[in-house]
Amino acid sequence: MIDSVFDAVLFNETPFPNDVPLIPLENIQSGLDRVEDQAIAGQMAEIEREGDRVLFQGLRAVDRGDIQAINELDWGLSGALQRPIYQLWESGYQLGGIDMLAEMRSVVPQNFARFISAEVAAALQQMLQLQPAILFNTAAQTAVLNRVIAIAGNFSRDLLNQLKLDLVSAIVPQPTTGLPISRRQLLDRIQRTLTVSRSRASNISRTETGFAYNTGRIATAQQSELVEAFRFLSIDDSRTTDICRSRNGLILKGDQIQANRPPLHFSCRSVLSPVMPRISKRHKAWTEDPLRNPSQRVLAPLSKGWQN
């Protein structure tokens, strides 16, 4: 993955600009905000806790001129970060399932037994009894745990390596001056490193919330045969990019779902909404609209290296 997502083809207009989720958009946004904020706070607390201890040891090593001691610095940040990131996944996944069920049930017609076949009526009854998909003790949980471990490990390693470079620069003469940096310069560098780490932690929280939320949505929808496709919705806010804007309103089936499953970039807020053509004429019309077919649209390419 790369950090910049603004290298796509520019799209001046959003297709199907009036497309909205089947439940109030503000409910989705407030729920995502809550999950993100909790995860960011959790990561910040762990970074500050481990950072204070390591920096205390590192600054003492600088005072001794002990480069080896700096190189040997280690911390438990990787394990500590796993907890808030996994909690993010639990909360986001559950929220996605709850919101998906609310959308699915909003499509149910009144007095449906009078207008549809017994087979569809049975499927509706089954859907009305569904509970949101759970993450615990499933194959998905193992995949999530592996993902969390990798993210926390990469973050921890990168941050520690940069802090070590900052500390060593206060001992080793610098190419531009021939002198080590001063204590004030060192503290400024450390502060910049920690500021970048906070930004990265926020980015991780926002992006992983999108992964967890849409994964929970899809898993819940797949419990019902009535959900035959998904409608891509780019949430129009400060994070919206051409990548998502160009996909707004698409009807996704089969392999198209994985290829266009949000998040499609860092901090992405797009969502997949259920399409249930067997019980809704409106949904059936969506599936028959050629402009909602991915093969009939020019889509902004994903950033180089981005993978779902």
Side-chain angles (χ1 to χ4, degrees):
M1 295 182 183
I2 60 176
D3 290 330
S4 175
V5 299
F6 300 101
D7 55 357
V9 177
L10 294 178
F11 288 77
N12 295 323
E13 296 182 3
T14 300
F16 302 101
N18 296 322
D19 270 20
V20 294
L22 303 175
I23 59 175
L25 176 58
E26 55 268 25
N27 291 2
I28 293 176
Q29 291 175 313
S30 63
L32 291 172
D33 284 341
R34 184 171 61 253
V35 174
E36 291 174 4
D37 290 345
Q38 290 173 349
I40 292 170
Q43 288 188 78
M44 290 301 99
E46 299 299 345
I47 290 170
E48 290 176 7
R49 184 179 299 113
E50 287 295 313
D52 287 346
R53 181 179 62 81
V54 168
L55 288 175
F56 175 75
Q57 296 175 357
L59 291 173
R60 292 181 65 185
V62 168
D63 292 338
R64 299 192 306 269
D66 192 343
I67 295 177
Q68 181 176 347
I70 293 173
N71 289 332
E72 292 175 353
L73 286 174
D74 201 2
W75 58 5
L77 183 61
S78 177
L81 284 179
Q82 291 174 27
R83 181 170 52 255
I85 298 175
Y86 183 75
Q87 289 173 345
L88 174 160
W89 262 91
E90 286 186 319
S91 300
Y93 191 97
Q94 181 183 43
L95 177 64
I98 291 171
D99 284 355
M100 174 57 76
L101 266 188
E103 290 210 53
M104 291 163 63
R105 288 170 178 166
S106 74
V107 186
V108 177
Q110 294 183 345
N111 302 319
F112 59 81
R114 296 173 54 191
F115 305 104
I116 57 180
S117 68
E119 178 184 2
V120 175
L124 269 170
Q125 292 286 8
Q126 183 269 343
M127 186 264 286
L128 292 172
Q129 297 172 14
L130 286 178
Q131 296 297 317
I134 59 172
L135 182 60
F136 180 71
N137 207 24
T138 65
Q141 184 185 35
T142 301
V144 169
L145 285 171
N146 290 335
R147 181 181 180 89
V148 168
I149 291 170
I151 290 172
N154 291 339
F155 183 104
S156 174
R157 183 191 63 247
D158 293 348
L159 178 54
L160 182 59
N161 287 343
Q162 185 57 54
L163 288 173
K164 288 180 179 180
L165 290 173
D166 293 341
L167 292 165
V168 169
S169 67
I171 300 176
V172 175
Q174 301 301 290
T176 55
T177 64
L179 297 171
I181 63 174
S182 68
R183 177 57 67 98
R184 171 45 53 194
Q185 289 172 317
L186 171 59
L187 295 177
D188 287 344
R189 284 195 183 188
I190 290 173
Q191 185 58 52
R192 285 196 297 271
T193 296
L194 292 177
T195 298
V196 170
S197 76
R198 293 186 185 99
S199 177
R200 183 174 175 184
S202 297
N203 210 351
I204 288 172
S205 294
R206 294 186 176 109
T207 305
E208 290 304 299
T209 296
F211 271 117
Y213 182 75
N214 280 289
T215 302
R217 275 181 159 261
I218 293 171
T220 297
Q222 289 176 336
Q223 295 180 106
S224 173
E225 65 183 65
L226 294 176
V227 179
E228 299 181 20
F230 294 94
R231 185 169 50 117
F232 188 103
L233 298 174
S234 63
I235 303 302
D236 189 12
D237 59 17
S238 61
R239 304 186 201 173
T240 309
T241 68
D242 291 327
I243 291 171
C244 291
R245 190 175 293 112
S246 68
R247 288 166 171 77
N248 192 59
L250 286 182
I251 301 300
L252 306 172
K253 302 178 182 179
D255 294 341
Q256 298 169 340
I257 299 170
Q258 181 59 27
N260 296 281
R261 178 177 64 86
L264 297 180
H265 56 79
F266 290 109
S267 299
C268 178
R269 274 233 165 147
S270 296
V271 299
L272 296 181
S273 185
V275 178
M276 308 168 74
R278 296 168 71 186
I279 61 172
S280 170
K281 292 181 179 180
R282 182 186 182 200
H283 288 215
K284 189 173 187 297
W286 288 342
T287 65
E288 295 172 350
D289 186 343
L291 295 180
R292 292 183 181 273
N293 188 323
S295 65
Q296 302 299 312
R297 289 259 288 274
V298 176
L299 305 179
L302 301 185
S303 296
K304 185 178 179 180
W306 182 268
Q307 293 179 344
N308 268 325

